Amino acid sequence: MVAVAKPGSTGTKAGERYSDNKLKQDIRTSNMGAAKKLADAIRTSLGPRGMDKMLVSGNNDVTITNDGATILQEMEVEHQIGKLLVELSRSQDYEIGDGTTGVVVLAGSLLEQAEVLLDRGIHPLRIAEGFEMASKVAVAELERISETFEFSATDAEPLIRTCMTTLSSKIVNRCKREMAEICVKAVMAVADFERRDVNLDLIKVEGKVGGKLEDTVLVNGIVLDKDISHPQMAKVIKDAKIAILTCPFEPPKPKTKHKIDIDTAEKYEELRQQEEKYFKDMVQQCKDSGATLIICQWGFDDEANHLLMHEKLPAIRWVGGVELELLAIATGGRIVPRFQELTPEKLGSAGSVKEVSFGTTKDRMVVIEDCAASKAVTVFVRGGNKMMIEETKRSLHDAICVARNLVRSNKIVYGGGSAELACGIAVEEAADNIPGVEQYAMRAFAEALDAVPTALAENSGLAPIETVAMVKSQQLKEKNPYLGVDCKETGTNDMKEQGVFETLIGKQQQMLLATQVVKLILKIDDVITSGKYD
């Protein structure tokens, strides 16, 4: 396989080829070096005691996080192979939502082991085949050691404990119990247990600076970062009938160029009355439809606002397109593009709509609760500053994804590196039955799996080599695949006893994705600068 480099990068020039094996070896070494550096950069963020990274953008915006996908997306990566690892963590984030750091650490470790095998003279394709065979053994072993996870809509305690495992490595770990409960309630509210699916579009995560992290709440409805357009309009509306509009409250504008000459006071008065009639007709059409709340995508001027207030029709303006769609789904309303099309059947309904204010600055938001059509929910995050809120939102997203994955497939494996160690032992045993050189690659794969428990031990301040060796020998002696690294020093290595576990599909996806990317990198033997410019 051949990678195409940007103009100006190292490698063979357009139209030229070298058959020199030394060049191919140098290119592989360069590719692996870039990938390993990237993996080493986020290795320290793995686990409950992992460190955070401060990312400073070009315009001096600061982000503090230990989420692998966020770190890699915000980093400026120039090397082409480095960008592959960024895509790797993004794939894990899109598919599973958690384990974005672990998948990159595993890929980096596999490349490290592959480099040793290449130095021994083993062909890269044989190494790739060995890794593929080993990953199949590891995935089968994960399936064998997994346990079925029993929970129901009434008993969600097991789900809460899983979300707590995810949140224990995040900045919100001091109140992980409360946050896990919020995430599970949000997922349970919108989950379809018959289809075993969760529509994450119905879970909205909003944040507002102020208050403390413990003030984070789950709203059974939708929160809009807007206020009621006029201070004298009603702030609380019960049993609201909602008109969702994408047409502005303003007189129609001709599409051609036009010019109006007004030379007398009568003509000006006539124009003013005509404009007022347009506004009155628009407001009357809303009133006639039976609407008690107007939500508009566009703004409207003071005259329209005054007429709406006069007709006792509360209104919210400048609501974004995504929020409008969510409102339409949740309230059962239709998005109306023209006032003439507004009918009672197209109105949405909600149990209550109220405007709430926060703090001394009188920041206002609108809360729409008890939506008729579906159970849309909003997690409303509070925090001392913007960075804290953004990191909390990322952490809650991971926990919500974990709960969603368990609704889809209720199988779990235990954490603390226990699953990786058990898979490593299984792969080593399977390698003994392989006659070809692939057995070396399989043993290397087993050794690479030790990188995750080693990183966990290292980040927890434990002696990494001694800790992992002790846990591995204990697993072999007791035939117990649930023994892992005691990161929090609770006194037991049994992850089942500690209640540290993660989803089976998340762990399987990690191993499969990491193996695929490493195979891709191993098969690259040349870098050619393209003769074409984009």
Side-chain angles (χ1 to χ4, degrees):
M1 186 175 286
V2 174
V4 179
K6 285 185 180 177
S9 63
T10 58
T12 316
K13 289 188 178 176
E16 292 181 15
R17 278 311 201 110
Y18 294 104
S19 58
D20 184 6
N21 285 332
K22 182 76 173 73
L23 176 67
K24 297 185 189 309
Q25 195 177 336
D26 288 347
I27 285 165
R28 282 201 191 94
T29 307
S30 162
N31 289 346
M32 289 180 178
K36 284 192 299 182
K37 275 182 185 172
L38 210 56
D40 287 344
I42 67 165
R43 184 188 171 95
T44 54
S45 298
L46 188 69
R49 300 278 175 91
M51 308 299 275
D52 290 350
K53 306 283 184 228
M54 181 186 279
L55 304 158
V56 184
S57 69
N59 55 357
N60 286 331
D61 282 344
V62 175
T63 305
I64 297 174
T65 182
N66 71 348
D67 179 58
T70 308
I71 294 167
L72 290 174
Q73 278 174 36
E74 297 286 332
M75 277 171 84
E76 190 177 343
V77 180
E78 289 186 359
H79 200 283
Q80 296 83 4
I81 299 300
K83 287 175 182 172
L84 275 179
L85 286 197
V86 176
E87 289 295 325
L88 170 67
S89 73
R90 198 177 294 163
S91 299
Q92 179 77 10
D93 196 32
Y94 285 166
E95 195 67 29
I96 304 297
D98 190 31
T100 52
T101 309
V103 72
V104 177
V105 169
L106 180 57
S109 180
L110 283 169
L111 286 168
E112 211 169 301
Q113 294 298 324
E115 202 168 7
V116 175
L117 296 174
L118 286 168
D119 289 343
R120 286 190 191 174
I122 298 174
H123 195 278
L125 276 179
R126 305 300 293 273
I127 298 170
E129 283 167 19
F131 281 176
E132 182 66 30
M133 290 160 73
S135 72
K136 285 177 182 172
V137 173
V139 167
E141 178 66 9
L142 283 172
E143 187 74 46
R144 190 188 70 79
I145 65 172
S146 67
E147 288 191 351
T148 304
F149 192 72
E150 297 300 336
F151 67 91
S152 64
T154 50
D155 178 25
E157 181 61 31
L159 273 180
I160 292 168
R161 281 172 33 222
T162 316
C163 289
M164 283 169 67
T165 303
T166 303
L167 294 171
S168 62
S169 64
K170 309 290 185 188
I171 202 167
V172 297
N173 62 0
R174 65 188 172 86
C175 48
K176 62 183 178 183
R177 172 81 199 184
E178 295 87 337
M179 293 295 168
E181 284 177 2
I182 286 171
C183 293
V184 170
K185 282 177 185 171
V187 169
M188 288 301 202
V190 302
D192 183 346
F193 287 104
E194 284 180 18
R195 286 173 50 236
R196 296 186 76 87
D197 197 18
V198 178
N199 184 0
L200 288 184
D201 291 338
L202 296 175
I203 303 174
K204 196 164 167 248
V205 184
E206 279 286 336
K208 196 80 173 173
V209 174
K212 54 186 186 294
L213 197 58
E214 286 82 353
D215 295 337
T216 299
V217 292
L218 177 70
V219 178
N220 286 316
I222 298 164
V223 176
L224 299 176
D225 194 4
K226 307 287 173 192
D227 55 0
I228 304 285
S229 63
H230 196 288
Q232 289 177 296
M233 286 176 178
K235 304 298 181 192
V236 178
I237 304 132
K238 295 287 181 188
D239 298 320
K241 295 290 178 189
I242 303 168
I244 304 168
L245 305 174
T246 55
C247 43
F249 275 90
E250 59 182 33
K253 292 185 176 74
K255 288 193 168 37
T256 55
K257 287 186 179 180
H258 62 283
K259 184 181 175 185
I260 300 174
D261 289 327
I262 299 173
D263 49 12
T264 63
E266 288 78 15
K267 284 183 181 177
Y268 179 80
E269 182 61 25
E270 190 183 339
L271 180 66
R272 190 194 67 77
Q273 285 176 0
Q274 186 63 40
E275 278 200 357
E276 189 177 338
K277 184 177 181 303
Y278 276 127
F279 284 132
K280 280 184 175 174
D281 287 349
M282 290 171 185
V283 173
Q284 194 58 44
Q285 281 168 335
C286 294
K287 192 84 176 166
D288 291 344
S289 70
T292 56
L293 174 69
I294 308 295
I295 294 179
C296 186
Q297 188 174 13
W298 306 104
F300 34 85
D301 63 15
D302 292 341
E303 189 169 355
N305 209 10
H306 171 75
L307 285 167
L308 285 164
M309 187 273 293
H310 188 70
E311 292 289 342
K312 295 185 171 54
L313 257 183
I316 304 166
R317 53 188 165 183
W318 298 119
V319 179
V322 176
E323 290 169 324
L324 275 186
E325 286 175 15
L326 184 60
L327 270 167
I329 294 167
T331 61
R334 296 276 294 278
I335 296 174
V336 181
R338 283 185 289 274
F339 286 99
Q340 292 84 353
E341 295 179 16
L342 191 57
T343 59
E345 298 80 45
K346 292 181 180 177
L347 299 179
S349 54
S352 77
V353 178
K354 59 185 176 184
E355 184 184 86
V356 291
S357 57
F358 303 98
T360 54
T361 55
K362 297 295 179 192
D363 272 343
R364 294 182 181 87
M365 296 184 97
V366 175
V367 179
I368 301 167
E369 293 181 300
D370 303 326
C371 300
S374 69
K375 284 282 186 183
V377 294
T378 304
V379 181
F380 187 52
V381 180
R382 305 303 308 279
N385 55 47
K386 192 180 174 188
M387 278 188 297
M388 184 73 179
I389 284 173
E390 290 303 316
E391 179 62 4
T392 304
K393 281 162 80 170
R394 281 190 288 270
S395 305
L396 292 176
H397 168 262
D398 284 5
I400 287 167
C401 286
V402 165
R404 187 266 315 256
N405 293 337
L406 279 171
V407 171
R408 282 180 168 180
S409 168
N410 62 338
K411 284 193 170 182
I412 54 153
V413 290
Y414 288 90
S418 61
E420 282 83 0
L421 288 171
C423 289
I425 292 165
V427 170
E428 278 180 351
E429 285 175 4
D432 295 338
N433 303 320
I434 303 296
V437 292
E438 285 86 357
Q439 62 175 286
Y440 293 104
M442 290 182 76
R443 288 196 183 94
F445 188 97
E447 205 167 319
L449 287 172
D450 291 353
V452 173
T454 304
L456 286 172
E458 202 174 326
N459 295 344
S460 303
L462 306 170
I465 296 166
E466 290 91 327
T467 305
V468 173
M470 185 266 291
V471 174
K472 200 168 187 178
S473 68
Q474 210 175 334
Q475 268 206 24
L476 283 164
K477 192 190 297 179
E478 297 178 20
K479 302 286 185 198
N480 182 357
Y482 309 139
L483 299 175
V485 177
D486 181 16
C487 296
K488 295 190 174 177
E489 298 176 63
T490 57
T492 174
N493 286 326
D494 194 328
M495 295 296 122
K496 193 171 184 177
E497 201 176 307
Q498 280 197 34
V500 178
F501 41 80
E502 47 195 309
T503 58
L504 170 66
I505 55 172
K507 190 61 77 179
Q508 286 179 331
Q509 189 80 2
Q510 262 189 5
M511 291 190 183
L512 291 170
L513 282 175
T515 309
Q516 283 169 15
V517 168
V518 170
K519 279 175 66 184
L520 186 72
I521 294 168
L522 279 170
K523 289 167 83 174
I524 294 169
D525 75 339
D526 205 348
V527 179
I528 301 171
T529 306
S530 173
K532 294 178 182 177
Y533 286 85
D534 292 336

